[in-house]
Amino acid sequence: MRITRKPLSRRTILRGVGTAMALPYLEAMMPSAHAADVAQRPKRLQVFYTPNGMTMPEYRPTGEGVDFTLPATLEPLAPHRDAITVITGLGHPQAAAMGDAPAGHGRSCPAFLTGAHARQTEGTDIRCGTSMDQVFAAHLGDATQIPSLELSMDQASMAGSCDINYSCAYTNGISWLTPTVPLPVTANPRAVFERLFGDGEVLDEKSRLARLRKQASILDYVMEDTARLSGKLGMADRHKLAEYLDATRAIEKRVQRAESSPPSPQAKAMKQPPGIPDDFAEHMKLMIDLQILAMQADITRVGTFMVGREISNRTYPEIGVPDSHHMLSHHGNNPDKMAKLAVINRYHMTFFAYMLQRMKDTKDGEGSLFDRTLVLRGSAFGDSNEHDYMDLPVVVSGGLVKGGRHIKVEHGTSMSNLLLAGLNLLDVPVTSFGDSTGPLRELTDA
């Protein structure tokens, strides 16, 4: 039976007092029942970044192609083995000194998504390149409410904890809107939630403060509009809408709980702002869930997530590592320090596995968010002790690429080739990016 009804607009939103909510992808947004095809759904990009490099012996797989074994650091990805492609041998030649003063983090971090050489400066005259995620965001134009979402577990540093001779702007984030405009990251879940569902541009200050005081749910404000829309939807869409609203309410409650919980002495010492959970794992999962929710509602299709800013000195006593992450990364081949760094690397990988699972579990039309998303996981260094920017630990996942492989490319192959191939998979018609010599065919060839 052919359905001739006028489809619901992808830009439909739920409105309430001083707020608005985007909708997830619904069958009612399809032109007809026969158009419920995967090609109707938008493509998305997610980047998951970990700082301070890796203990490569614990990371690098054995074997090539489909016949490979996951090492200790990658074991958390075992449930997703058929959906990941591990790539070794990629590097960033533009992270080399090229006559500049010695440094590592200040050049490698900005090169990660740009393939460009960062200008050596501690002043405001910073310069690098437009990052791959922002090329994709520009290609999408105004297709979504927010062009891109840049999240981090660390607040941006303006002084200290930055690489010598290089501005903190080079190590605070990985997204560059233009060669001279790095995009700021957000670490506070409350700030992210309000950006997605009502901030200063949508909700007037008086209403916003009143809502926070009452700890009221944003869903209460759009209840009338929700009831009106629900009556026009089919059973399957009503179920999807209910799931989405339940997820939104659950995340909001987690944000509110984090704000109302008394901070520990450690949190007070760090001067964490309201909204940031004291527990690292809780904070990580909350930020990932917010990123997933933003994609589910098609508020944005581009996201980057930094587990920590480069040169992060975070400690991890909860997993038995009270030492500074950055200090351990300069282990001097000390077996004890290398073992502790490997524990941190593996711990971070559990959250990447969590992100993949959440994407697989989140409905998008007849499939899941995972089906139409390109996911990149990486670091600016391989061997952190050597500041090795020519053998990067990269994992590619998502339904846009074939998984279950370990690809070894010629050592020194520019990661810009991978970024170019990723842009082509996302339908961006570019023939070059950064210092690329061509798209990485090993990624796209069957």
Side-chain angles (χ1 to χ4, degrees):
M1 176 179 176
R2 184 175 179 81
I3 300 175
T4 58
R5 57 159 171 76
K6 183 179 179 181
L8 187 68
S9 171
R10 289 279 291 160
R11 305 298 291 273
T12 300
I13 59 175
L14 299 175
R15 297 187 180 278
V17 180
T19 192
M21 284 183 66
L23 289 174
Y25 193 65
L26 302 172
E27 290 181 5
M29 296 172 178
M30 303 172 188
S32 73
H34 296 289
D37 182 81
V38 67
Q40 293 284 334
R41 292 183 274 139
K43 290 184 177 181
R44 301 177 174 91
L45 170 68
Q46 284 293 317
V47 181
F48 188 94
Y49 179 90
T50 56
N52 300 334
M54 286 275 174
T55 46
M56 293 302 285
E58 300 295 322
Y59 168 86
R60 191 177 290 107
T62 57
E64 293 185 54
V66 298
D67 185 20
F68 72 99
T69 302
L70 292 174
T73 297
L74 294 178
E75 280 180 356
L77 299 181
H80 309 288
R81 187 185 188 282
D82 292 340
I84 63 171
T85 293
V86 183
I87 306 178
T88 54
L90 293 174
H92 261 320
Q94 295 301 313
M98 299 182 182
D100 292 340
H105 303 270
R107 286 192 298 267
S108 295
C109 183
F112 181 71
L113 285 182
T114 66
H117 184 76
R119 172 186 288 165
Q120 180 186 313
T121 179
E122 292 181 325
T124 59
D125 57 334
I126 56 175
R127 186 174 185 85
C128 188
T130 303
S131 56
M132 173 257 202
D133 59 308
Q134 292 308 302
V135 173
F136 180 45
H139 170 73
L140 294 174
D142 63 352
T144 58
Q145 175 183 325
I146 298 174
S148 60
L149 193 59
E150 293 75 39
L151 305 186
S152 175
M153 291 292 289
D154 291 338
Q155 300 281 15
S157 174
M158 299 311 294
S161 297
C162 302
D163 211 356
I164 187 170
N165 299 312
Y166 284 83
S167 166
C168 291
Y170 289 126
T171 49
N172 280 337
I174 54 176
S175 295
W176 289 71
L177 182 65
T178 71
T180 57
V181 181
L183 290 175
V185 297
T186 304
N188 191 324
R190 166 58 69 182
V192 179
F193 193 90
E194 290 191 351
R195 186 181 180 197
L196 298 179
F197 300 115
D199 57 12
E201 296 180 359
V202 179
L203 193 65
D204 66 87
E205 184 66 11
K206 183 178 179 180
S207 297
R208 188 183 72 84
L209 292 175
R211 189 181 79 196
L212 290 178
R213 283 195 299 269
K214 294 179 180 179
Q215 295 289 282
S217 170
I218 191 172
L219 302 181
D220 296 333
Y221 288 86
V222 297
M223 194 61 68
E224 183 177 342
D225 209 21
T226 301
R228 175 191 59 77
L229 176 63
S230 184
K232 301 178 181 180
L233 300 176
M235 184 178 297
D237 277 349
R238 288 199 298 271
H239 180 67
K240 291 176 185 177
L241 180 59
E243 286 183 330
Y244 168 63
L245 297 179
D246 286 345
T248 304
R249 188 182 295 276
I251 289 178
E252 185 169 42
K253 286 181 177 178
R254 287 159 64 190
V255 172
Q256 292 169 348
R257 185 167 61 249
E259 290 180 323
S260 61
S261 299
S264 68
Q266 292 84 0
K268 289 181 179 179
M270 292 176 63
K271 297 182 180 180
Q272 290 181 331
I276 296 183
D278 187 31
D279 182 79
F280 176 81
E282 181 185 350
H283 187 192
M284 277 283 293
K285 290 182 177 180
L286 181 53
M287 297 297 277
I288 291 171
D289 287 349
L290 283 165
Q291 194 81 281
I292 297 297
L293 192 64
M295 291 196 298
Q296 182 183 11
D298 204 29
I299 296 174
T300 190
R301 298 173 189 172
V302 185
T304 56
F305 185 86
M306 294 185 75
V307 174
R309 67 173 179 266
E310 202 60 43
I311 320 184
S312 169
N313 281 310
R314 184 186 291 273
T315 63
Y316 296 88
E318 68 272 25
I319 56 172
V321 184
D323 313 68
S324 157
H325 184 188
H326 180 226
M327 295 306 293
L328 286 175
S329 73
H330 294 286
H331 46 70
N333 295 317
N334 179 295
D336 181 61
K337 292 182 178 180
M338 292 178 70
K340 289 180 178 179
L341 181 59
V343 170
I344 294 175
N345 296 158
R346 181 187 173 101
Y347 185 50
H348 288 167
M349 204 65 68
T350 65
F351 295 106
F352 181 57
Y354 175 80
M355 171 183 276
L356 295 182
Q357 190 60 54
R358 288 286 290 110
M359 292 173 64
K360 289 180 177 180
D361 291 341
T362 302
K363 294 293 185 182
D364 182 46
E366 292 301 307
S368 72
L369 287 177
F370 186 83
D371 300 337
R372 299 281 286 175
T373 302
L374 176 66
V375 187
L376 302 180
R377 194 235 73 87
S379 304
F381 295 124
D383 182 349
S384 55
N385 189 64
E386 300 296 331
H387 281 173
D388 182 9
Y389 48 81
M390 293 304 289
D391 187 12
L392 304 179
V394 177
V395 177
V396 182
S397 190
L400 299 181
V401 295
K402 178 183 176 181
R405 298 179 292 168
H406 171 211
I407 298 175
K408 293 180 67 174
V409 301
E410 183 179 353
H411 183 78
T413 299
S414 176
M415 186 171 165
S416 292
N417 290 2
L418 168 62
L419 300 177
L420 176 58
L423 286 170
N424 293 162
L425 286 169
L426 294 166
D427 300 327
V428 183
V430 291
T431 57
S432 64
F433 179 83
D435 61 351
S436 66
T437 58
L440 191 69
R441 296 300 180 190
E442 293 90 338
L443 181 69
T444 55
D445 290 347

